[in-house]
Amino acid sequence: KHKFWETQPVGQFKDVGNSSLPEGPIELPTPLSEVKQEPYNLPNSYEWSTCDMGSDEVCNEVYVLLTNNYVEDDDNMFRFNYSKEFLRWALRSPGYYSSWHVGVRVKASKKLVAFISGIPVNMRVRDQVVKMAEVNFLCVHKKLRSKRLAPVMIKEVTRRIHLENVWQAAYTAGVLLPTPLTTSQYWHRTLNPKKLIDVGFSRLGERMTMSRAIKLYKLPTSTSTPGLRKMELRDVPSVTQLLRNYLSRFSVAPEFDDNEVEHWLLPQENVVDSYLVESQVTHEITDFFSFYTLPSSILHSQEYSILKAAYTFYYVSTNTPLLQLMNDALIIAKQENFDVFNALDVMENESFLKELKFGQGDGQLYYYLYNYRLNQALRPSGLGLVLL
Ligand code: NHW
Ligand code: EN5
């Protein structure tokens, strides 16, 4: 059934529930000299192309490919529309390798027709910290689908990751593959009911009128937490400390240093928003939340072309209840004109989803590890990991 995935060092469906297999790497690293030195073969009219995301031109090519060909919902009504600034941020993180930003071009025209990427991250799995790649933005042009190009791309990015002496990876997908570490559910908090209904993102339920929906989802105009402010560069060490400590409670989570916190969490307009709570008395940083901006193209509306969505990212609550922090996040997102605020049921999100009027979406997100076996699947609440 999975002609490609059956050949890969990932947990197989037949082994689910078999806890006699040891936890940890499935295959051992090979000496770097034994890693295949030449790229995998592509069909004759195509060529590999390392994508320099620092180049405006290349970044734009990746942006255009994804804008027209990346992930859609099950009913093909919306397609992710990652911005150029977002892609640059997502791919040029601390320690990144350009060689892990892999494009496929048509030889004759040089048109970019496929892409896959990895970035390095230190991932903790229970008590082991493993240098891994986070693989994302796998995309094959719609006209080249079902030709088994994706397996070649996955093998090629794997080869390039091996060449940097990295042997494990983490990735997420909306499709079920062998075999998930956990299955998480998307939830959506309506901020702009009229637009969401107009474009078919949500529907007026039984006994719900537009005016009742507008009232139901209304939010205060200002935030409620004293000392809440935007994160600044000087806050990086405190946020790193808070986050490292908080993420230590999850079975699987990244380990961030100051550099990574600066990169991933310092606010960037239209990319990532981060807020924290500074004690009015001691000036200590006690709480923190962030969300990223990921619009979707609306594929069939006369009136609107873009859905502005915020996605919950990392947070820490020590003094302020998480429910209150996230309510303030919704208020800020509303002020910033987002249409919807999205979350998964990972980390401690279940503690606020229902109370803050998030509704279950029709999408799921499966989390995977490559070349690392876990004895039993985790609950989503055991995961302290958010991929973009
Ligand atoms: S998930 C988003 C993936 N992208 C999209 O959904 C965009 C729209 N779709 C497409 O562009 C986030 C194509 O449909 C793609 C497949 C390219 C998805 N992950 O070429 P064929 C990520 O980016 C398997 C993994 O004929 P296609 C994470 C499928 O099961 N495998 O299909 C990426 C089948 O294998 P099987 C996927 O439709 C993680 C084979 O591909 C997959 O033309 C990547 C069919 O290939 C998916 N999302 O192209 C893995 N979708 O065994 C990283 C399909 O079942 C692993 N397939 O026969 C780690 C590597 C690094 C290791 C380092 C140590
Ligand atoms: C790699 N990092 O399916 C990610 N989105 O629920 C790649 N549904 O937006 C993998 N179908 O439920 C991504 N509205 C996998 C996800 C792909 C995108 C996707 C889902 C997630 C989504 C929306 C729109 C559905 C349109 C029809 C949805 C209902 C919201 C409603 C609000 C009011 C209260 C009840 C729920």
Side-chain angles (χ1 to χ4, degrees):
K1 225 184 131 249
H2 290 286
K3 273 287 163 254
F4 169 65
W5 281 110
E6 277 170 9
T7 68
Q8 298 298 299
V10 294
Q12 300 294 330
F13 287 121
K14 66 174 170 48
D15 299 326
V16 168
N18 180 351
S19 50
S20 69
L21 296 165
E23 206 161 288
I26 297 170
E27 286 178 358
L28 294 173
T30 58
L32 290 187
S33 58
E34 286 171 29
V35 177
K36 184 166 141 58
Q37 297 296 307
E38 329 72 46
Y40 283 89
N41 291 325
L42 280 171
N44 232 312
S45 40
Y46 303 98
E47 64 190 19
W48 296 111
S49 167
T50 295
C51 292
D52 173 8
M53 295 299 288
S55 145
D56 285 339
E57 192 189 332
V58 172
C59 186
N60 191 55
E61 290 179 291
V62 174
Y63 168 77
V64 170
L65 173 73
L66 296 180
T67 296
N68 295 321
N69 301 280
Y70 199 49
V71 177
E72 300 179 5
D73 68 295
D74 286 345
D75 302 301
N76 310 101
M77 296 169 68
F78 305 97
R79 190 187 306 127
F80 285 149
N81 185 199
Y82 290 90
S83 69
K84 287 179 242 188
E85 313 79 76
F86 189 111
L87 291 171
R88 194 166 264 152
W89 170 70
L91 294 177
R92 304 186 101 212
S93 57
Y96 79 91
Y97 304 95
S98 286
S99 60
W100 295 7
H101 303 161
V102 185
V104 174
R105 294 180 188 274
V106 175
K107 269 185 192 159
S109 63
K110 305 295 170 203
K111 182 185 156 95
L112 184 73
V113 292
F115 186 75
I116 188 168
S117 67
I119 54 169
V121 64
N122 287 309
M123 194 74 74
R124 186 178 49 73
V125 182
R126 303 195 210 277
D127 60 357
Q128 307 274 79
V129 181
V130 182
K131 187 165 174 190
M132 294 195 187
E134 283 179 3
V135 175
N136 205 349
F137 306 114
L138 166 60
C139 183
V140 169
H141 194 285
K142 288 185 181 229
K143 294 199 165 146
L144 299 178
R145 296 277 170 88
S146 307
K147 298 176 186 298
R148 310 302 296 183
L149 207 51
V152 186
M153 298 177 69
I154 293 167
K155 284 190 277 186
E156 178 61 13
V157 80
T158 301
R159 189 185 69 83
R160 293 173 182 216
I161 292 167
H162 285 165
L163 286 172
E164 303 300 340
N165 203 21
V166 174
W167 304 89
Q168 271 74 33
Y171 52 104
T172 56
V175 294
L176 179 62
L177 303 165
T179 54
L181 168 75
T182 195
T183 302
S184 64
Q185 175 68 55
Y186 277 99
W187 292 72
H188 308 281
R189 176 37 161 104
T190 299
L191 301 175
N192 185 351
K194 182 160 182 319
K195 177 169 170 185
L196 294 188
I197 290 160
D198 282 355
V199 304
F201 187 93
S202 64
R203 279 194 289 211
L204 282 175
E206 292 284 302
R207 277 167 277 123
M208 180 63 77
T209 60
M210 188 64 84
S211 58
R212 287 184 69 187
I214 291 169
K215 190 171 161 202
L216 176 65
Y217 293 117
K218 207 166 168 53
L219 286 161
T221 47
S222 55
T223 56
S224 67
T225 309
L228 186 74
R229 61 168 175 83
K230 249 192 160 87
M231 180 184 173
E232 298 171 21
L233 186 57
R234 63 184 163 104
D235 301 314
V236 164
S238 323
V239 170
T240 306
Q241 273 316 302
L242 275 177
L243 194 59
R244 289 180 69 92
N245 180 50
Y246 179 68
L247 291 179
S248 71
R249 70 173 76 191
F250 300 101
S251 303
V252 175
E255 286 212 330
F256 289 136
D257 63 17
D258 286 338
N259 255 323
E260 291 170 307
V261 165
E262 177 178 336
H263 179 85
W264 291 121
L265 297 171
L266 207 58
Q268 272 195 60
E269 208 177 329
N270 296 320
V271 175
V272 61
D273 277 68
S274 302
Y275 288 81
L276 48 72
V277 184
E278 176 177 337
S279 156
Q280 307 291 79
V281 186
T282 63
H283 296 282
E284 273 179 312
I285 313 300
T286 55
D287 312 274
F288 162 84
F289 66 78
S290 58
F291 55 87
Y292 62 83
T293 300
L294 168 49
S296 282
S297 304
I298 302 170
L299 301 179
H300 320 282
S301 163
Q302 309 286 25
E303 242 190 305
Y304 300 99
S305 57
I306 288 285
L307 187 74
K308 198 177 170 196
Y311 288 75
T312 54
F313 199 30
Y314 292 99
Y315 55 73
V316 179
S317 123
T318 69
N319 246 359
T320 313
L322 184 55
L323 189 82
Q324 182 183 327
L325 284 175
M326 294 313 297
N327 196 51
D328 281 349
L330 294 174
I331 293 166
I332 290 167
K334 177 70 195 175
Q335 287 169 351
E336 293 186 9
N337 207 30
F338 285 92
D339 299 313
V340 63
F341 195 95
N342 298 336
L344 293 161
D345 55 1
V346 300
M347 297 197 284
E348 293 186 290
N349 295 358
E350 276 192 312
S351 70
F352 63 77
L353 291 171
K354 286 188 176 147
E355 191 115 350
L356 294 180
K357 301 174 184 163
F358 285 72
Q360 233 183 80
D362 64 355
Q364 303 214 305
L365 189 66
Y366 300 93
Y367 278 77
Y368 303 95
L369 294 177
Y370 184 95
N371 194 23
Y372 204 97
R373 185 184 299 108
L374 256 99
N375 265 334
Q376 34 181 19
L378 303 174
R379 289 160 317 178
S381 58
L383 255 196
L385 175 64
V386 183
L387 299 188
L388 303 172

